[in-house]
Each structure stands twice: as C-alpha cells, then as structure tokens.
Amino acid sequence: MSTRRTNYRLAAAQMNCVLADVACNLETHRRVIESARHREVDVLVFPELSLTGYDLGARVPEVAMDRDDPRLLQLADAAGDMLTVVGFVERCARGEYANAMACLCEGRVVAVHRKLNLCTYGGHEEGKHFGKGQTLTVTDADGLACGVMICADLWNPGLAHAAMLERPDVMLAPVNAATGMVDGDFDDEGNWLICLKFYAMMYATPMVMAHRYGAEGDGWFWGGSCIVGVDGRVLARAEDGETLVSADIDTDEIDAARFAMPTHRDADTPLVASLMAQRLERERRG
C-alpha cells in the first residue's frame, strides 16, 4: 500500500541577474539549482525574468526564447525531479513576446505561465513590450499542486481569486519590484508582505515569494524573499544578499485550515459571476 505524501520543502532563490546577459544568468541558475538539490528541495522558485533582468526595453527580442529552447531544457535536466520555476522572455509569435515563467522538471518544460497583469504605470512599461497572458497555471510537484502568479498578477484581486479557486496547494510568486517604481509613498516592501500574508490566510494557501536583491541601472531590488504559511505566518524570510531560503510545509495543515476557513467552498462563483456580468452590462451601456 502506498503512503500518501504530506511533507514538502519549498525554496525561493533570492538573486540578482545581469541585464540581457542570459549566459551569465544561466550559470547563476545552475549553481542555485545544485545547492537546492543538495538541500533536498521539492519546489524551487526564481524571481520574475530571472534569466534576463527586468528593464529590457528594445532588447526584449534579443533575449527571447521558445519554450523548448535547449537552454531551458538544460536547466530542466539539472533540476531532476525538483520542480524549478525560472523567469524568461517567451517568444510567442513573430514580433510578439511574453513575460513568462517556465516550470521545469525531469528534463522537460512541464508548464509556462505568461504574466496576466502587465505593469504600465509609475516606472513600469511592460505593456509596451509584452502581450498579456490569458490563462491560469497550476502544475504538479509529486502530488503538490503549484499555482503560479507573476508579481502584479497578485495585485489584481479578481485574478488572484480566480487563481485560488483552481485550488492550488501552494502559490508560487516570482517578483521583480524595484523601490520607487510606484508613484507616491507606496511602501513596496511592507505592502508586499501584507499582500502575501492576506492571500495565504484568506485561502489557506502557502505563498512562496522569490525576489531579487541588488541593483539594475538606477533601480534597487530589496530582496525580502519569503515563504508564508496557511495562517499568514512567515515561515522563512531571506536576509539581505543573494541566498536560498526554504521552509517545510505539511499538506495536512492545509486541509485543516481550509476546513476551518472554507473560503474556496463558500466562494459562490455563480453569484460573483452574475454580479460581474451586471457590471459589464452597465459598462457596455455607458
């Protein structure tokens, strides 16, 4: 009789990357993957656009990859049976690109998530260079269902709600959030932690946030990579610098938390859909 697995080790790679230097960033990924495997990690998450850097501008086509690019497959080989999620620019069609995360395992690209909520405000210009994703992503890590949402995907509560209703066991959140990119006195670091703790608690879904640490041009990435448990408690948080932070979770605790707080069960999707349809109709009528 097989034993149901309940314990998993999650990890976030806090790193910096060299803008538009894919070869250099690949070497960093290989080193981190090797370290994570030595620590018996089951799921490893890299930051958003970890293979390319963020402020690419007109260099987007230069660094773009197909989802079966040999360089991604080499990382997938290195990952072995550890689900490894890396950030890249995906070539979608001629002249069309996506800000994407490749989910790698056992020599294959098992899924790709394209960013749904592109940032085109403050210092962000993603909408000028990337096309929006249109689908939600959940992939499997030896029986652990892992959702993926890239950075600002989590700042659209409707998208986050829809993603959580797919009932992932954990949500993987790769981030690229430089200080001062949002206008006003927005506390990027503090507000990110509030965001992660809220979703973890509300949906009884552990959150794994992988963020950069270091400079890119005039931008500063503040790190803060962390893993948040089902009760909104921070299980592990990275110190300053490039590092690998990990925590163990028990899916029995997810079961218990969702039984106690049945957000998924009681979501009443038909009612929400009806209210949204009414809203759309009012907008159509002007």
Side-chain angles (χ1 to χ4, degrees), residues 97-171:
Y97 307 94
N99 177 340
M101 300 299 298
C103 302
L104 313 175
C105 191
E106 295 184 331
R108 299 185 300 120
V109 179
V110 296
V112 171
H113 177 72
R114 296 175 178 172
K115 191 171 185 177
L116 302 160
N117 186 34
L118 298 178
C119 300
T120 309
Y121 52 79
H124 300 285
E125 296 187 336
E126 292 176 26
K128 293 172 61 176
H129 308 297
F130 298 117
K132 288 184 178 181
Q134 298 294 317
T135 59
L136 299 169
T137 302
V138 180
T139 191
D140 179 79
D142 193 21
L144 186 76
C146 300
V148 183
M149 300 198 83
I150 302 173
C151 201
D153 288 350
L154 286 162
W155 291 94
N156 183 322
L159 290 177
H161 181 66
M164 289 295 190
L165 289 187
E166 295 297 312
R167 290 170 173 76
D169 296 318
V170 301
M171 184 62 73

Side-chain angles (χ1 to χ4, degrees), residues 4 14 79 111 124:
R4 182 175 67 92
Q14 181 164 289
H124 300 285

Side-chain angles (χ1 to χ4, degrees), residues 52-71:
T52 64
Y54 182 77
D55 192 17
L56 293 162
R59 303 177 75 176
V60 163
E62 173 188 329
V63 299
M65 301 180 187
D66 297 318
R67 62 175 59 194
D68 60 353
D69 188 284
R71 293 166 291 183

